[in-house]
Amino acid sequence: MDKIIYVDNAATTAVSDKVLEAMIPYYKEKYGNPSSIYSLGRGAKKAIEQARETVAKCINANPNEIFFTSGGSEADNWAIKSIAFEQAKKGKKHIITSSIEHHAVLHCVESLEKQGFKVTCIKVNEKGMVNPKDIEEAINENTALVSIMYANNEIGTIQPIKEIGEICRKRGVPFHTDAVQAIGNLHVDVVNQNIDMMSISAHKFHGPKGVGALYVKKGMRIKNFIDGGAQERGLRAGTENVAGIVGLSVAMKEACDNIDKKSAKLKKMRDRLIESITKIKRTRINGDLENRLPGNVNISFEGIEGEGLLLLLDMKGICASSGSACTSGSLDPSHVLLAIGLPHEIAHGSLRISLGENNTDEEIDYIIECIPPIIERLRSMSPLWEKIVEKEKEERK
C-alpha cells in the first residue's frame, strides 16, 4: 500500500474540510481584534460567543460556563491549580487523582505537592479502572479537589465518571475530569454526570491544534490564570484565537452529531484488529474490553521493543504509537502500563493503535497483514524472546 495509513488519532487528528473552511475567513476578511469596538472587531467577538454557545450545547452546559484555552494541558492546569489555591484559603490542601492520568495532570499535582499540598494517587485495577469506593474512602475534611480522567489516552479505559461525580457532590468536593479523549467519542453530559470542571482539546476531534476549552460549573470560584487584559471575563488575558475557537466549535458540533455512527464503525474495526492481532503468541490486550474508547487498541507483545515495532510499521506506511504522544520521546515504559501491573519488559513492547472515522476496512486488512511478520522478525533478533522460548522448553520437560 503506497499511501500513509494514519492510526494515531489519540495523538492528533487531521482538521476536517468543514472546520478549515469555517476558520479561513477569520484569518483573511474577518481578522478584527474581538476587543475592538468597530464592526470588524464586533464581528470577531460575535463569532467567539456563537462558538461558546455551540460548545456549551454539545455538553449540556451554559455558555457562561465555557472558557477558551490553548488546549487540554492549559485547561487541566487552570482547573486544578485554580481550585487548589482557592480551597487552600479554607485550609483544604488535599488533592485526589489517579495513577494513570495524563502528565498534564500528574505533573500539575506534583508541582502543587512541592508547595505543601498532599496528593493521594488512587491505584487502578488490571484493566485500568478506578474504583469509586477508593475515592470515597480517600476523601477527608481537607480534600480540595478530585481530578479523574474521563477516558485514558493510552489504554482507552472509560472511568465511571457519573458515580465518581456523585460521590464528590455528596461530599462537597469539586470534581474535575480531563475529557480530552472523550469528546467526540462518547456522549458527555456535565449535568447528568455531576462534573464541576472539564478539559477539552480541539485537535483530538478534527479541530485545530493550540485551542481548547475549560468547562466550569456556575458557582465554582476560579482564579484568573493569565494576567493582562479583560478577555474571557477577565480570567484569561490575551487576544483570543478567533479562528481556532471557531474551528473548535465547528469540529465539536460535527463530532458530537456523529458520535453513534462513528462509534459503531470504529468498534467494528477495533474488535477485528484485537481478534486478529491477539492470535499472535504471547500477546495481551491492555485496558477494559467493555468500557473502552471505540477506536482504541493497545496490545503488548512479549520479547520485543516497542520502538523497533513502530519503526518497522513506519517503513510499511503505518503511523501508530507506543503510548502517549506527549512522552513518545521517552525511553521509559508507559506509566499507565506499569500502573495496571505490567512488568517493565512487557510494557516496553506495547503498541497503541487509535482509529478514526477516516480509516477503512482495507487499511485494517493491511495492518493485520503487516504486524505478524514484523513481530516475528523482531523476536528473531531479541535475546529476551530467546530466554522466553528457553523457559517454555524447560517448563514442557
Side-chain angles (χ1 to χ4, degrees), residues 84-85 88 92-95 112-119 144:
F85 290 126
K92 297 185 175 185
K93 300 188 75 173
H94 175 228
I95 298 168
L112 288 171
E113 206 166 18
K114 292 172 185 174
Q115 297 176 66
F117 286 83
K118 182 182 178 183
V119 177

Side-chain angles (χ1 to χ4, degrees), residues 184-385:
N185 284 311
L186 305 169
H187 290 287
V188 176
D189 184 324
V190 293
V191 176
N192 179 260
Q193 294 167 320
N194 307 299
I195 297 168
D196 294 318
M197 292 175 290
M198 185 173 75
S199 304
I200 297 167
S201 188
H203 76 107
K204 303 297 187 179
F205 47 86
H206 300 287
K209 296 175 182 66
V211 63
L214 175 65
Y215 157 77
V216 181
K217 184 176 180 284
K218 187 179 179 180
M220 298 289 296
R221 290 174 60 87
I222 60 168
K223 292 171 66 69
N224 54 317
F225 194 60
I226 300 175
D227 295 314
Q231 292 88 354
E232 293 303 288
R233 280 150 283 166
L235 294 173
R236 185 188 184 273
T239 302
E240 300 93 337
N241 176 4
V242 183
I245 289 168
V246 168
L248 182 154
S249 69
V250 173
M252 196 160 166
K253 185 178 188 308
E254 198 173 20
C256 291
D257 287 349
N258 194 38
I259 284 176
D260 293 332
K261 184 180 177 182
K262 172 187 170 182
S263 293
K265 176 184 177 180
L266 295 191
K267 283 178 182 177
K268 189 176 177 183
M269 292 193 293
R270 176 199 70 188
D271 292 345
R272 192 153 69 89
L273 268 175
I274 290 173
E275 184 183 359
S276 297
I277 298 173
T278 50
K279 288 178 182 175
I280 298 171
K281 187 178 181 181
R282 285 193 176 264
T283 64
R284 58 158 284 160
I285 183 75
N286 301 312
D288 194 304
L289 282 171
E290 298 299 322
N291 299 299
R292 187 185 199 92
L293 287 172
N296 177 280
V297 178
N298 190 301
I299 294 182
S300 291
F301 303 89
E302 288 189 48
I304 69 162
E305 289 287 336
E307 289 77 9
L309 173 57
L310 295 183
L311 288 170
L312 290 176
L313 285 171
D314 185 40
M315 290 172 68
K316 294 285 187 179
I318 300 169
C319 301
S321 74
S322 59
S324 169
C326 298
T327 55
S328 58
S330 173
L331 294 177
D332 295 328
S334 157
H335 72 284
V336 174
L337 296 183
L338 296 180
I340 63 173
L342 266 64
H344 279 64
E345 63 273 16
I346 295 179
H348 264 303
S350 67
L351 172 69
R352 181 186 71 176
I353 292 172
S354 44
L355 305 169
E357 59 262 55
N358 294 330
N359 291 123
T360 66
D361 286 328
E362 290 73 26
E363 290 175 341
I364 301 304
D365 290 338
Y366 181 69
I367 294 167
I368 290 170
E369 177 189 322
C370 287
I371 288 179
I374 289 176
I375 299 299
E376 186 177 351
R377 178 182 170 184
L378 289 170
R379 284 175 170 173
S380 69
M381 301 183 289
S382 167
L384 180 59
W385 180 249

Side-chain angles (χ1 to χ4, degrees), residues 5 7 11 22 31 181 204 218 228 236 275 388 396-397:
I5 296 176
V7 284
Y31 54 84
Q181 294 293 332
K204 303 297 187 179
K218 187 179 179 180
R236 185 188 184 273
E275 184 183 359
I388 291 169
R396 283 198 294 267
K397 286 181 180 178

Side-chain angles (χ1 to χ4, degrees), residues 52-53 55-57 59-67 190-191 215-218 233:
R52 207 183 304 278
E53 289 176 12
V55 170
K57 191 174 181 181
I59 58 172
N60 192 25
N62 292 315
N64 61 6
E65 296 174 317
I66 304 299
F67 297 86
V190 293
V191 176
Y215 157 77
V216 181
K217 184 176 180 284
K218 187 179 179 180
R233 280 150 283 166

Side-chain angles (χ1 to χ4, degrees), residues 51-260:
R52 207 183 304 278
E53 289 176 12
T54 299
V55 170
K57 191 174 181 181
C58 287
I59 58 172
N60 192 25
N62 292 315
N64 61 6
E65 296 174 317
I66 304 299
F67 297 86
F68 293 115
T69 69
S70 65
S73 293
E74 183 192 323
D76 285 342
N77 275 262
W78 189 4
I80 293 168
K81 290 176 180 175
S82 180
I83 292 298
F85 290 126
E86 192 65 33
Q87 293 280 75
K89 295 175 185 176
K90 306 172 189 176
K92 297 185 175 185
K93 300 188 75 173
H94 175 228
I95 298 168
I96 298 171
T97 189
S98 84
S99 57
I100 63 166
E101 298 296 310
H102 190 278
H103 281 112
V105 170
L106 292 179
H107 290 171
C108 179
V109 298
E110 282 171 14
S111 75
L112 288 171
E113 206 166 18
K114 292 172 185 174
Q115 297 176 66
F117 286 83
K118 182 182 178 183
V119 177
T120 298
C121 216
I122 301 293
K123 292 181 179 179
V124 296
N125 65 16
E126 69 281 357
K127 295 178 180 179
M129 188 71 72
V130 171
N131 186 340
K133 288 182 179 178
D134 291 342
I135 293 173
E136 189 165 23
E137 289 172 6
I139 292 174
N140 60 46
E141 68 276 8
N142 295 319
T143 302
L145 171 73
V146 172
S147 181
I148 302 293
M149 72 193 327
Y150 202 119
N152 188 263
N153 52 305
E154 293 191 37
I155 59 174
T157 299
I158 302 165
Q159 302 298 342
I161 292 299
K162 183 177 180 178
E163 195 176 343
I164 294 168
E166 204 170 84
I167 289 166
C168 293
R169 189 68 52 86
K170 196 184 298 180
R171 299 291 293 273
V173 177
F175 173 49
H176 165 257
T177 185
D178 178 334
V180 165
Q181 294 293 332
I183 299 295
N185 284 311
L186 305 169
H187 290 287
V188 176
D189 184 324
V190 293
V191 176
N192 179 260
Q193 294 167 320
N194 307 299
I195 297 168
D196 294 318
M197 292 175 290
M198 185 173 75
S199 304
I200 297 167
S201 188
H203 76 107
K204 303 297 187 179
F205 47 86
H206 300 287
K209 296 175 182 66
V211 63
L214 175 65
Y215 157 77
V216 181
K217 184 176 180 284
K218 187 179 179 180
M220 298 289 296
R221 290 174 60 87
I222 60 168
K223 292 171 66 69
N224 54 317
F225 194 60
I226 300 175
D227 295 314
Q231 292 88 354
E232 293 303 288
R233 280 150 283 166
L235 294 173
R236 185 188 184 273
T239 302
E240 300 93 337
N241 176 4
V242 183
I245 289 168
V246 168
L248 182 154
S249 69
V250 173
M252 196 160 166
K253 185 178 188 308
E254 198 173 20
C256 291
D257 287 349
N258 194 38
I259 284 176
D260 293 332

